[in-house]
Amino acid sequence: MEDRGAKVLLDFGAGFADGSDYFDSTIMPRPVNGAGDLFEFGLLPEIPGLYSEKALQNTKMRYRAPEVDAVLLSHYHWDHTGRIGYVDPKIPVYCGETTSLIHDAYSESSSSPLDGHPIRKFRTGKKFSIGSMEVVPIHVDHSIPGAYGFVIHTSEGALAYTGDFRFHGPAGSMTRDFVEAASREKPRLLLTEGTRVRADDMKDNMSEKAVLNEALRLVRGTRVLVFSTFRGNDVDRINTFNEAAQASGRRLVVSMKMALLLERLKDDKKLKVPRVGRDVDVYVRRKKSGRLDDRDYYSWERQFLNGGVSASEVRRKQGKVFLHLEAWNFPELVDIRPERGGVYIHSATEAFNEEGEREETVIRNWIEHVGFSYAQLHASGHAPMDEVGELVKGVAATKVIPIHTEHPSMFKVFSKGGRWTLQPPKKGGSITFAS
Ligand SMILES: [Zn+2]
């Protein structure tokens, strides 16, 4: 976005499908070539004064001092943060306080695309200025805490950007706050996500509460182990499964990485997260020596060794455990050797492409191998199509620009009776306020 010489990026993520014609999990851009391998296929825009010297070192593009003033980050998901690692670290990133804590946790356990950037933190409703633009961040509900939309006042009028949102989550009222605040400003432009705006979005719109009830039914139906794959920073899901575990006399056992995130997020007074040790236990994988030897673990991991739960302990207490196990950690099942008859809960989006289907087949093979039942149980982070339509009507902008969607032209079904125009963006093109 540009206004009177001030320039900001609204998020800077890696598209999930973008680039999949050239790159996948085996063919990847070379780190030494910085942005060059992505420029080759038009997967990064060639914007002067945006990238770091390191990102440009083996490309045709010459480094220039920053000409972009800020990245406004709506939330900490890869499709919103994934390209910030190429941005000049002199350019500050504005994000919510919770997002900054999530960044701290990932930075400590591995790395974060925000590493090296000055972080400017905001809270909902607290305005700040970047040149001629006045930015108002407003919270929304999504499948990660600390998610925001923005209302941005420019010399040509206001723009509203939704970030990612839903109404059916535990904090759906926050998204309604955004719609209300945005509509008050009578924005000329609305940039909205539309992940589930598609003809084949047949999945029913399960709420987090429904996930809890179904999880309880499943957990109570077995006397042996329950384990589940779910996104480690979806705090709503962590709370849901913690509640299901406690209500059935079990303990939620989480990975070290999730434990570190919970430790950081406990400093967020507005967030409810289970406490490590008091509410949840930490799973300890064997490394190098095969013993629980301090020297085998990173310094951030060592704090969790004392009181940690090993594979043999999970086996011993299997009727009392609800284990969080990511797919890449499934080989741990070889050590755990759970009794047959347990329950596996796949708590993530169902496969939507070939690569995902292959992974699902592998997961199902493991579940069959250990003799467990397989359950799909998930509440989406995104609003279904009709609720995106409600948001569009509620904000009542003059012009709607659908982004974060594979079917931008489908937004025209919402325009019945409305007085707004639809303008799907073109790759590499620009859209002006006035036109
Ligand atoms: Zn998201």
Side-chain angles (χ1 to χ4, degrees):
M1 247 187 102
E2 188 174 350
D3 183 49
R4 293 192 172 165
K7 291 181 192 172
V8 299
L9 291 179
L10 303 176
D11 295 328
F12 202 47
F16 282 124
D18 208 18
S20 58
D21 292 339
Y22 305 100
F23 297 110
D24 59 16
S25 52
T26 47
I27 308 177
M28 288 188 277
R30 297 162 296 171
V32 68
N33 210 34
D37 291 355
L38 295 170
F39 285 154
E40 174 74 18
F41 302 101
L43 297 172
L44 263 189
E46 297 188 33
I47 299 173
L50 175 61
Y51 298 107
S52 66
E53 274 185 272
K54 185 167 172 272
L56 297 177
Q57 66 185 354
N58 290 311
T59 71
K60 281 176 279 181
M61 207 173 165
R62 289 246 316 276
Y63 174 78
R64 269 156 66 169
E67 291 169 20
V68 172
D69 300 283
V71 179
L72 303 183
L73 180 60
S74 63
H75 65 286
Y76 198 88
H77 273 159
W78 184 250
D79 54 333
H80 297 253
T81 62
R83 302 293 193 223
I84 296 175
Y86 295 103
V87 170
D88 196 320
K90 293 187 192 88
I91 298 173
V93 175
Y94 287 74
C95 65
E97 288 181 14
T98 308
T99 297
S100 141
L101 294 172
I102 298 172
H103 153 72
D104 288 344
Y106 287 135
S107 197
E108 193 177 341
S109 63
S110 47
S111 67
S112 163
L114 276 55
D115 282 339
H117 290 267
I119 306 275
R120 309 261 158 85
K121 292 179 268 187
F122 55 68
R123 273 278 181 201
T124 189
K126 289 262 178 284
K127 296 173 190 168
F128 55 91
S129 291
I130 296 167
S132 57
M133 297 185 227
E134 187 187 65
V135 183
V136 191
I138 302 149
H139 55 208
V140 293
D141 188 36
H142 186 41
S143 48
I144 188 167
Y148 288 83
F150 299 104
V151 172
I152 305 173
H153 297 277
T154 74
S155 56
E156 300 267 357
L159 169 148
Y161 167 46
T162 61
D164 288 355
F165 66 91
R166 62 179 173 186
F167 295 96
H168 59 271
S173 65
M174 298 202 305
T175 308
R176 280 183 274 278
D177 291 343
F178 171 80
V179 175
E180 219 170 86
S183 68
R184 265 201 309 270
E185 306 302 329
K186 305 206 178 341
R188 293 185 73 169
L189 302 185
L190 168 66
L191 272 81
T192 175
E193 74 124 322
T195 310
R196 293 174 67 187
V197 175
R198 52 195 305 155
D200 57 348
D201 184 36
M202 302 304 281
K203 289 163 275 177
D204 58 347
N205 198 35
M206 200 175 212
S207 68
E208 198 62 38
K209 184 86 190 146
V211 172
L212 172 64
N213 291 337
E214 183 59 13
L216 272 170
R217 193 186 66 79
L218 290 167
V219 172
R220 288 181 173 142
T222 179
R223 292 168 173 281
V224 290
L225 184 66
V226 174
F227 71 101
S228 174
T229 303
F230 58 97
R231 207 186 243 171
N233 53 29
D234 185 344
V235 168
D236 294 328
R237 194 60 38 82
I238 298 171
N239 280 319
T240 294
F241 286 160
N242 184 42
E243 207 176 322
Q246 286 184 353
S248 56
R250 291 173 185 260
R251 290 277 283 184
L252 182 64
V253 176
V254 304
S255 68
M256 285 187 171
K257 202 168 168 172
M258 192 192 285
L260 184 69
L261 180 69
L262 293 176
E263 281 292 302
R264 291 293 160 272
L265 288 180
K266 76 178 186 210
D267 295 336
D268 191 323
K269 299 285 171 278
K270 294 198 174 157
L271 214 58
K272 180 192 150 218
V273 291
R275 288 291 183 87
V276 176
R278 188 190 70 189
D279 306 310
V280 301
D281 293 322
V282 183
Y283 185 77
V284 179
R285 286 185 301 139
R286 289 185 299 147
K287 291 169 104 176
K288 293 175 202 156
S289 69
R291 291 181 301 275
L292 302 184
D293 185 331
D294 260 24
R295 283 166 302 182
D296 287 356
Y297 295 85
Y298 296 115
S299 53
W300 69 268
E301 292 177 313
R302 286 178 198 148
Q303 60 188 304
F304 302 119
L305 287 177
N306 240 330
V309 178
S310 66
S312 56
E313 277 167 279
V314 171
R315 179 167 66 244
R316 209 150 31 78
K317 304 178 190 160
Q318 52 189 294
K320 300 267 175 234
V321 170
F322 187 126
L323 178 67
H324 168 241
L325 200 64
E326 295 288 6
W328 57 83
N329 272 332
F330 274 16
E332 292 298 309
L333 293 166
V334 175
D335 295 353
I336 296 170
R337 285 190 287 115
E339 273 176 52
R340 302 176 75 79
V343 171
Y344 168 70
I345 301 174
H346 185 259
S347 192
T349 318
E350 285 171 85
F352 53 86
N353 60 19
E354 260 177 63
E355 203 172 342
E357 277 163 21
R358 238 184 349 262
E359 188 186 299
E360 193 185 310
T361 304
V362 173
I363 288 177
R364 284 188 184 272
N365 289 344
W366 274 89
I367 302 314
E368 203 182 301
H369 180 78
V370 293
F372 273 44
S373 64
Y374 180 109
Q376 167 69 27
L377 198 52
H378 182 55
S380 171
H382 300 277
M385 184 158 167
D386 54 335
E387 290 177 8
V388 174
E390 275 168 41
L391 178 134
V392 168
K393 279 177 198 140
V395 173
T398 317
K399 194 189 281 182
V400 175
I401 303 166
I403 55 170
H404 204 293
T405 173
E406 289 187 319
H407 306 280
S409 59
M410 274 190 77
F411 275 70
K412 61 176 175 280
V413 304
F414 306 142
S415 63
K416 273 201 194 102
R419 271 172 297 165
W420 50 272
T421 54
L422 180 68
Q423 184 157 8
K426 283 199 186 72
K427 192 166 184 175
S430 61
I431 295 173
T432 59
F433 264 71
S435 67

